[in-house]
Amino acid sequence: MSRVQLALNVSDLDAAVEFYSKLFDTPPAKIRPGYANFAVVEPPLKLVLIEKTGATGALNHLGVEVESPEEVAAAQRRLTAHGMGTTVEDQVSCCYAVQDKVWVDSPDGSPWEIYTVLADTEPDAGAEGDLTTCC
């Protein structure tokens, strides 16, 4: 099963988690410092919240979560065949997980990723978090 991902910048993670838990009637699947995600069943959605005080907009990035690295590679080949510029990241640590992904920008510059989660990770003690390289 694949599902659309919506990653949002939020100024208050606790308030956003409370709001989206009620909106989608589901608890977060993962909460880490400055980060939370929801695996919403209906509608099928991966909602990611990234705490960024002073962000210039609510949208962080968009994506499609797929089940396997093979699906990521197939998406990269398909996008390249259509003449779209892509950036591939394999085994990247992002959003408290190890992921394979391919990025492409929309005509208006909205970043889209097609990705799969290979393994969950935990933040290092005292570290700022696991968000700076991807989000």
Side-chain angles (χ1 to χ4, degrees), residues 15-82:
V17 165
E18 182 179 349
F19 173 82
Y20 288 106
S21 294
K22 292 174 182 175
L23 179 66
F24 292 112
D25 197 25
T26 190
K30 185 187 292 187
I31 299 178
R32 302 290 186 271
Y35 175 88
N37 78 40
F38 293 78
V40 180
V41 175
E42 188 57 43
L45 173 68
K46 179 73 166 268
L47 176 65
V48 176
L49 306 175
I50 300 165
E51 193 167 44
K52 282 195 174 181
T53 304
T56 57
L59 179 63
N60 186 283
H61 66 279
L62 301 156
V64 178
E65 182 179 25
V66 297
E67 292 185 18
S68 71
E70 294 78 18
E71 289 176 89
V72 173
Q76 192 276 331
R77 289 189 301 272
R78 179 178 54 79
L79 295 170
T80 300
H82 285 297

Side-chain angles (χ1 to χ4, degrees), residues 2-24:
S2 54
R3 60 184 163 198
V4 171
Q5 174 191 291
L6 172 61
L8 300 175
N9 296 319
V10 299
S11 60
D12 182 333
L13 185 65
D14 293 334
V17 165
E18 182 179 349
F19 173 82
Y20 288 106
S21 294
K22 292 174 182 175
L23 179 66
F24 292 112

